[in-house]
Amino acid sequence: MTLRNTDERWGPVSQSLHWLVVALILVTGTLGLVMGDMRNGPSKIEIYALHKSLGLTILALAALRLAWRMHAGAPLPAPATPRWQGRFATFTHWLLYGLLFAVPLSGWTFNSAAGYPLQWFKLFNLPALVARDVELRQLARDLHEWLFWSLVVVALLHASAAVYHHLVLRDDTLGRMLPHAWRRRAVPPPLSQD
Ligand code: HEM
Ligand code: HEM
């Protein structure tokens, strides 16, 4: 079994990184949405720190994933996919990559402009990206929120397309992003009655 992606399917490295990042975004996004309303205290500080550490992990995994994708290539579109759909899917994937970098980087910029400290799981400190700046702080904060909601919209569109391929077109688009054991064989079209 090869670790690389082939013309037919995503290899185990791309698959693992894909689903790990999906899970981390769900947790980090949920923490981001609830932490602002928490009562001030040690738990709030812990949750903010966890949000930032998970966000930085997503940033590192996005870089790793992009490097792997450049090295290992990508499968061809599923057979019978119209050209415009293949192109749109590729465009959406690059947009998702852009957002996977932009969301954590805007969070890091906000954190730096606000003058807050930054650690990765209490293991090491990370530098500020910019100096303290009240205007930039507000801009980066708004940007972080809006980029997050853009990621949600594009990811929902992308996930709906995957489910549509699986349930309606009944092709292998979703199956080739899943481990072999979970994969459903492509269902042949019903035989003609005449
Ligand atoms: C992909 C990763 C990330 C996601 C999905 C994410 C998501 C969010 C969300 C949904 C919010 C709440 C926005 C609002 O309603 O105001 C938020 C707030 C925040 N995020 Fe992130 N974030 C990520 C990465 C980061 C990183 C890497 C940092 C810092 C290094 C960070 C720092 C913050 C801070 C400080 C806030 C609070 C902003 C405020 O005071 O209103 N985030 N994030
Ligand atoms: C935060 C959520 C998500 C992000 C950021 C994301 C991102 C990506 C990216 C960048 C790719 C391109 C492949 C790569 O380079 O690794 C991809 C492929 C794929 N994703 Fe997602 N994804 C998300 C959620 C989902 C969900 C929920 C599903 C399924 C319901 C899904 C199904 C797929 C499939 C089937 C492919 C392969 C498409 C093909 O072969 O053309 N993704 N995803």
Side-chain angles (χ1 to χ4, degrees), residues 16-95:
S16 312
L17 288 170
H18 179 270
W19 296 112
L20 178 62
V21 169
V22 172
L24 286 174
I25 287 185
L26 280 175
V27 177
T28 312
T30 308
L31 290 179
L33 291 175
V34 298
M35 65 192 190
D37 293 332
M38 289 177 72
R39 233 176 318 138
N40 285 342
S43 331
K44 184 169 183 170
I45 294 171
E46 290 284 328
I47 296 291
Y48 265 74
L50 181 62
H51 173 83
K52 295 182 208 175
S53 296
L54 290 173
L56 291 168
T57 309
I58 293 171
L59 180 62
L61 289 175
L64 193 70
R65 205 172 149 179
L66 189 60
W68 179 255
R69 163 106 192 226
M70 297 298 192
H71 169 71
L76 299 169
T81 306
R83 233 158 83 115
W84 72 267
Q85 264 185 33
R87 285 197 181 148
F88 189 64
T90 307
F91 170 74
T92 312
H93 294 166
W94 290 116
L95 193 58

Side-chain angles (χ1 to χ4, degrees), residues 32 35 51-52 55 58 103-104 107-108 110 118 141 144-145 148:
M35 65 192 190
H51 173 83
K52 295 182 208 175
I58 293 171
V103 174
W108 192 346
F110 164 72
L118 184 59
R141 184 189 198 166
H144 190 52
E145 190 179 351
F148 167 72

Side-chain angles (χ1 to χ4, degrees), residues 5 8 10 14-15 17-19 21-23 25-26 65-66 69 73-78 86 89-90 92-97 100 151-152 154-156 158-163 172-178:
N5 303 326
E8 288 79 36
W10 298 95
S14 285
Q15 286 184 6
L17 288 170
H18 179 270
W19 296 112
V21 169
V22 172
I25 287 185
L26 280 175
R65 205 172 149 179
L66 189 60
R69 163 106 192 226
L76 299 169
T90 307
T92 312
H93 294 166
W94 290 116
L95 193 58
L96 285 167
Y97 269 117
L100 284 179
L151 174 63
V152 170
V154 181
L156 282 176
H158 162 79
S160 311
V163 172
D172 205 24
T173 304
L174 180 59
R176 66 195 201 164
M177 194 37 117
L178 294 171

